[in-house]
Amino acid sequence: QVQLVESGGGLVQAGGSLRLSCAASGSIFSIDTMGWYRQAPGKQRDLVATITSGGSTNYADSVKGRFTISRDNAKNTVALQMNSLKPEDTALYYCNANVRRLQSRNIVYPYWGQGTQVTVSS
């Protein structure tokens, strides 16, 4: 009923930039917090950044000052601008959205995208 589609991953050299985008569609009444998480091989999925519907943001310490999260509430999209990329940023990046569906506005459902690969070469 709700789909998240990510785009923008790829291969980049250390010091470079990438921009990830995620669009939510389907039976959406509103979206609470949206965010980006990442998972490197053999590791757990970790928070990268989140943003509330009001625009409040939260970042992992490892990306502060380098990554910027933004969203467009009217379009149900969230983006992650990643600058000064490092090899340790290499991971599969997942979009997350906490959605209130049209049929059940008082319940928040978490949805995940399929993941987009970011690889940073040294």
Side-chain angles (χ1 to χ4, degrees):
Q1 292 180 325
V2 175
Q3 299 81 38
L4 300 185
V5 178
E6 301 141 336
S7 60
L11 173 64
V12 65
Q13 288 188 333
S17 298
L18 282 174
R19 182 177 179 85
L20 305 182
S21 298
C22 174
S25 62
S27 184
I28 298 171
F29 172 69
S30 66
I31 304 178
D32 291 359
T33 301
M34 302 185 79
W36 291 93
Y37 293 73
R38 65 187 181 188
Q39 187 168 19
K43 296 189 176 181
Q44 66 181 18
R45 187 176 299 187
D46 292 326
L47 179 147
V48 176
T50 61
I51 184 167
T52 67
S53 57
S56 296
T57 58
N58 179 52
Y59 295 93
D61 288 343
S62 59
V63 307
K64 283 180 181 177
R66 299 188 298 122
F67 291 11
T68 302
I69 189 170
S70 60
R71 68 186 282 177
D72 185 326
N73 290 332
K75 296 181 179 179
N76 291 330
T77 59
V78 63
L80 185 69
Q81 178 65 41
M82 303 185 294
N83 299 328
S84 302
L85 282 160
K86 305 175 181 179
E88 50 264 46
D89 294 319
T90 295
L92 192 59
Y93 282 70
Y94 294 92
C95 173
N96 167 260
N98 294 295
V99 177
R100 297 178 185 270
R101 302 202 301 234
L102 289 171
Q103 304 89 337
S104 50
R105 302 177 184 184
N106 293 329
I107 302 174
V108 178
Y109 296 89
Y111 287 93
W112 295 88
Q114 79 284 358
T116 185
Q117 180 66 40
V118 171
T119 303
V120 184
S121 62
S122 57

